[in-house]
Amino acid sequence: MQNLTILQYPDPRLYTVAKPVAVVDDRVRKLVAAMLETMYAANGVGLAATQVDVHERIIVLDTSEERNAPVVLINPQIVRQSAQDKEWEEGCLSVPGIYDKITRPAEVRVRALDAQGAVFEMDADGLTAVCILHEMDHLLGKVFVDYLSPLKRSRIKTKMLKRQRQAA
Ligand code: GNR
Ligand code: NI
């Protein structure tokens, strides 16, 4: 299966709000497999379907050191989050080379469907919590740079557009 193309900020398609998956069937499982392959090839810890221009509520992640613990979240919802926040230096495969500190809840519990369509819940903290929240933002059409100041965001946009012109 070939790698999918990851949309680059400020591609307007990154601002699309994803729709829930109606049935977890072979079509969805094939997409999940392609997303995992694309995420591993790009050395990412997570990937949202939005980033590969598929506007359905599907996330893959693997925050393990060994890169051998894939997690699939279909129709994810946060069912609990800590009152305590944590700041983390975030990056994004759709905004390569840009990193900045973002504050989010330190711990979350997410409920989702797995690749077999079974409901499960997962507690996460550290990078895994950050990653789940970052990916769920993508599904809502939100990129981490949207949390930064308008000035920073504008500089990032200019830098990305310049880079994309040079690559074209
Ligand atoms: O690979 C990724 N690393 C990362 C690091 C800190 C906070 C969030 C992330 S997610 C990112 C992959 C990505 O862009 N997912 O949407
Ligand atoms: Ni991202």
Side-chain angles (χ1 to χ4, degrees):
M1 193 171 284
Q2 82 278 7
N3 280 337
L4 303 166
T5 302
I6 300 176
L7 299 177
Q8 299 295 296
Y9 183 83
D11 192 308
R13 292 170 290 182
L14 287 169
Y15 289 90
T16 312
V17 177
K19 293 187 169 67
V21 171
V23 236
V24 182
D25 54 11
D26 282 346
R27 178 192 70 88
V28 171
R29 279 185 284 273
K30 276 183 186 147
L31 173 61
V32 162
M35 284 175 62
L36 280 166
E37 210 171 307
T38 304
M39 177 190 77
Y40 286 123
N43 290 314
V45 295
L47 188 72
T50 308
Q51 292 176 280
V52 294
D53 202 21
V54 174
H55 303 288
E56 300 181 48
R57 294 184 57 79
I58 304 171
I59 289 168
V60 296
L61 57 116
D62 188 342
T63 55
S64 70
E65 286 287 340
E66 304 78 14
R67 321 266 312 130
N68 60 0
V71 176
V72 177
L73 301 173
I74 298 168
N75 297 346
Q77 25 172 167
I78 299 294
V79 293
R80 213 182 66 89
Q81 62 182 39
S82 59
Q84 198 190 333
D85 285 344
K86 191 165 167 55
E87 196 180 60
W88 203 281
E89 181 101 343
E90 296 197 20
C92 182
L93 294 172
S94 295
V95 202
I98 305 290
Y99 303 89
D100 214 323
K101 285 178 177 164
I102 304 292
T103 300
R104 300 185 188 270
E107 297 172 22
V108 296
R109 175 174 296 165
V110 64
R111 180 182 299 153
L113 302 179
D114 65 18
Q116 303 311 317
V119 183
F120 73 107
E121 287 191 4
M122 173 181 165
D123 285 314
D125 61 9
L127 175 61
T128 308
V130 171
C131 184
I132 289 169
L133 293 166
H134 173 117
E135 305 311 338
M136 286 186 70
D137 272 351
H138 277 304
L139 300 181
L140 294 174
K142 189 161 185 164
V143 181
F144 86 97
V145 298
D146 294 328
Y147 290 107
L148 304 176
S149 70
L151 177 62
K152 275 191 179 178
R153 194 164 52 250
S154 150
R155 285 178 173 159
I156 291 166
K157 196 171 183 172
T158 303
K159 190 171 181 173
M160 291 291 296
L161 287 170
K162 189 174 169 190
R163 197 193 287 165
Q164 286 159 30
R165 269 201 310 278
Q166 283 166 344

